[in-house]
Amino acid sequence: MTETLFTNISQLVTPAPGMQRGAAMRDLTVIPDVAMLVSGGVIRWIGPRADAPSNAQEHDLGGVAVVPGLIDPHTHAVWAGDRLADFEARVQGVPYEEILARGGGIRSSMRATGAASVDDLVALARPRLEALRDSGATSMEVKSGYGMDFDAELRMLQAVRALQTEYGLVPTLLIHVPPTEGRAEYVQAVCHDLIPGVVRDGLATAVDVFTEREAFTVAETRAILQAAKTHGLQTKLHADQFHAIGGTELACELGALSVDHLEASGPAQIAALAASDTVATILPGVTLHLGLPAAPGRALINAGAAVAVGTDLNPGSSPVFSTQLALALAVRLCRLTPAEALTASTVNAAAALGLSDRGALAPGQRADFLALHSPDWRDLPYTLGANPVRNVFVGGIPV
Ligand code: NIG
Ligand code: FE
């Protein structure tokens, strides 16, 4: 097994492994002038260069800071078509929800995506995933949800599968918006046909639902999440984006991995998340792009919740192609400290995907890490509009 000793690291900066909540999100370990030994894709040892095992091949990192690879726990990176006309309408005052209610928005992405082949979808998604990885993402969740029908949903998930190993993808089946007619039958078919079929083909590890006035009710969401659990899948939710209609409380009750968005969450939803093991995933790109209120990141951490950050990369509400930018925006828009934002984008993002083998730099963790351009890790949350990440390593190998 090849061993590599990474040397000349100005600072190695990491949260502790596993989900971190409340004040513990600020507890980073910062080790100056250090070396790190990797073998078989896993971190084996971290310590002073002088104490390192001598027979490993050396990789000099040039005196820069090293942080864990970022984990993007929420993307819709597979879509066809564009939303450029929606964008122009929105900046002139037409609300996102009104565009959706008129049959545009998500429904227009569904028409374009439904007409695309798996190969088309793979070709469209690849440069987006490449951009996320260049920005520091070493694992990324990708959702379906733009399928016009079940076959189109399955094509989206097959496109994710084609790119899964190359980019470290975690696939989620998203039940996004109901058909305009026959929604009760649709929910039944999701529970009895789509979910079992996805499980049979191993196409997703979790099911997500958009719980919102313009999408699914709490009762419909409950039925879908129950079916997911019955078939052994994890659950997560898009909730409280525009209105807090009870999705967050339901997700906490059912033990969902995460609730994502939370822009409209109030004290009751914050308390429910703080009392649960469900991760609160905030998506500050949506605040920037739609001009929505920011999710209450500060209040969630103060209450003791575990907060994660994602890009929500999608054509309608968050055309954010950088996981590092999402981290940096969480500091500005949701009032996380830089340390909290690093924890939110690493171990807590891993927890939002049900993973505990990554997100921290410690013996036994996957050797997914970033060498920055700077000797000071704080350039990661500080930088806007340029890339502070110099090299991305997955399992100890530069990509
Ligand atoms: O996370 N709000 C629901 N779904 C996506 C948006 C998808 C779209 O606008 O195409 C979101 O914001
Ligand atoms: Fe989303």
Side-chain angles (χ1 to χ4, degrees):
M1 202 184 293
T2 55
E3 287 197 318
T4 308
L5 182 67
F6 292 93
T7 60
N8 205 3
I9 299 169
S10 64
Q11 290 182 318
L12 184 142
V13 181
T14 184
M19 184 172 93
Q20 304 296 323
R21 55 196 318 145
M25 287 183 65
R26 296 190 283 281
D27 286 346
L28 297 184
T29 299
V30 180
I31 312 175
D33 298 326
V34 72
M36 178 168 72
L37 182 70
V38 172
S39 74
V42 173
I43 299 169
R44 304 293 175 186
W45 174 89
I46 293 168
R49 169 77 185 89
D51 299 347
S54 56
N55 52 351
Q57 180 190 322
E58 186 170 336
H59 185 135
D60 184 327
L61 288 174
V64 297
V66 164
V67 298
L70 306 182
I71 294 167
D72 198 329
H74 185 138
T75 87
H76 307 249
V78 175
W79 77 83
D82 68 64
R83 301 271 282 281
L84 300 174
D86 288 2
F87 172 54
E88 273 201 305
R90 270 202 319 92
V91 296
Q92 289 169 87
V94 187
Y96 177 90
E97 284 180 283
E98 192 178 314
I99 294 171
L100 178 56
R102 287 180 191 167
I106 296 170
R107 292 187 195 280
S108 77
S109 293
M110 292 173 93
R111 287 189 288 274
T113 306
S117 68
V118 175
D119 287 349
D120 293 338
L121 295 175
V122 168
L124 288 163
R126 184 184 293 283
R128 300 169 190 151
L129 299 172
E130 200 70 33
L132 293 177
R133 192 167 64 188
D134 286 348
S135 80
T138 50
S139 300
M140 313 164 213
E141 188 252 22
V142 184
K143 301 174 192 297
S144 70
Y146 295 124
M148 281 288 274
D149 50 39
F150 290 172
D151 283 346
E153 282 298 305
L154 297 175
R155 283 197 296 281
M156 289 188 73
L157 291 172
Q158 283 154 3
V160 176
R161 177 143 76 188
L163 295 159
Q164 191 162 354
T165 309
E166 193 177 346
Y167 292 99
L169 305 183
V170 178
T172 297
L173 171 68
L174 169 61
I175 308 304
H176 209 168
V177 289
T180 41
E181 281 164 29
R183 58 191 287 161
E185 295 75 11
Y186 179 81
V187 170
Q188 284 304 305
V190 165
C191 297
H192 299 297
D193 302 329
L194 182 59
I195 289 174
V198 163
V199 170
R200 202 163 41 241
D201 294 344
L203 284 170
T205 54
V207 175
D208 187 351
V209 181
F210 184 22
T211 308
E212 186 55 62
R213 284 189 195 162
E214 284 301 328
F216 290 94
T217 65
V218 171
E220 290 165 338
T221 304
R222 182 186 286 278
I224 295 166
L225 296 189
Q226 292 284 19
K229 287 173 68 126
T230 301
H231 288 90
L233 294 177
Q234 302 274 18
T235 56
K236 41 183 51 230
L237 226 55
H238 281 67
D240 302 357
Q241 183 178 8
F242 299 100
H243 306 96
I245 64 169
T248 293
E249 291 86 336
L250 175 70
C252 294
E253 177 199 324
L254 295 180
L257 285 176
S258 70
V259 186
D260 305 36
H261 275 289
L262 307 171
E263 292 88 342
S265 296
Q269 292 74 39
I270 293 169
L273 283 160
S276 77
D277 286 333
T278 297
V279 175
T281 299
I282 59 175
L283 308 166
V286 179
T287 294
L288 183 69
H289 187 64
L290 295 189
L292 286 183
R298 180 77 266 130
L300 282 159
I301 295 173
N302 289 349
V307 172
V309 176
T311 55
D312 197 12
L313 170 60
N314 76 74
S317 72
S318 184
V320 170
F321 293 79
S322 165
T323 307
Q324 176 273 334
L325 180 62
L327 182 163
L329 290 175
V331 175
R332 275 69 171 199
L333 300 176
C334 306
R335 296 179 49 224
L336 271 59
T337 68
E340 290 166 346
L342 185 66
T343 300
S345 294
T346 55
V347 285
N348 282 5
L353 300 178
L355 302 171
S356 56
D357 63 341
R358 65 196 75 181
L361 300 177
Q365 289 269 294
R366 279 169 54 126
D368 298 348
F369 61 94
L370 311 177
L372 306 184
H373 282 290
S374 169
D376 189 323
W377 80 276
R378 291 173 299 181
D379 271 304
L380 187 76
Y382 172 77
T383 303
L384 298 173
N387 190 1
V389 176
R390 192 190 69 189
N391 307 107
V392 177
F393 294 84
V394 175
I397 311 285
V399 292

